[in-house]
Amino acid sequence: MVRVKKIDHIAICVKDIEASTKTFEALLGVSKSHDELVASQKTQAVLLPLGETSIELISPKGNDGLEKFLEKRGQGIHHIALEVEGIEDALAALKSAGVRLIDETPRTGARGHKVAFLHPQAAGGVLLELVEPHE
Ligand code: ZN
């Protein structure tokens, strides 16, 4: 069973993360709460807090998938991340329901959280990420 608690973040893929961070900070009237080079995903990630959720700006630092995304589609919404309780159980439940997964086991994402991606074919062409916060 998948127990979703909330939308953890909506991720926007950008070319110049420093310039985009300034743009979004001014636009939303917030300051970034987190800025990390996520080595495991070769991605720079900046979080802009919005109440219970966040906007995540991501930019490739050697990540081929994100480079291709920018080449093909340009900047834009890349994925929606759902906070779940018990990410391993959620993945097992989805797998046994025949849902196509990119990650069958969680990996470590920004903030040390456990993360896993579902295949966009599973959700109307939208890339969904499951997140379980690191305690
Ligand atoms: Zn994300």
Side-chain angles (χ1 to χ4, degrees), residues 8-11 41 56 58 79-81 111 115 117 129 131:
D8 183 74
H9 60 267
I10 293 173
Q41 296 187 34
E56 180 186 59
I58 52 174
H79 64 267
I80 295 174
R111 297 168 287 170
V115 304
F117 286 90
E129 177 185 21
V131 179

Side-chain angles (χ1 to χ4, degrees), residues 17-32 46 48-50 57:
I17 198 157
E18 285 178 22
S20 293
T21 298
K22 289 191 182 109
T23 301
F24 275 85
E25 283 178 334
L27 184 70
L28 303 171
V30 297
S31 296
K32 66 181 176 184
V46 167
L48 301 158
L50 296 173
L57 300 177

Side-chain angles (χ1 to χ4, degrees), residues 24-47:
F24 275 85
E25 283 178 334
L27 184 70
L28 303 171
V30 297
S31 296
K32 66 181 176 184
S33 58
H34 193 79
D35 190 345
E36 178 182 356
L37 175 61
V38 186
S40 63
Q41 296 187 34
K42 297 179 179 160
T43 300
Q44 190 77 31
V46 167
L47 283 164

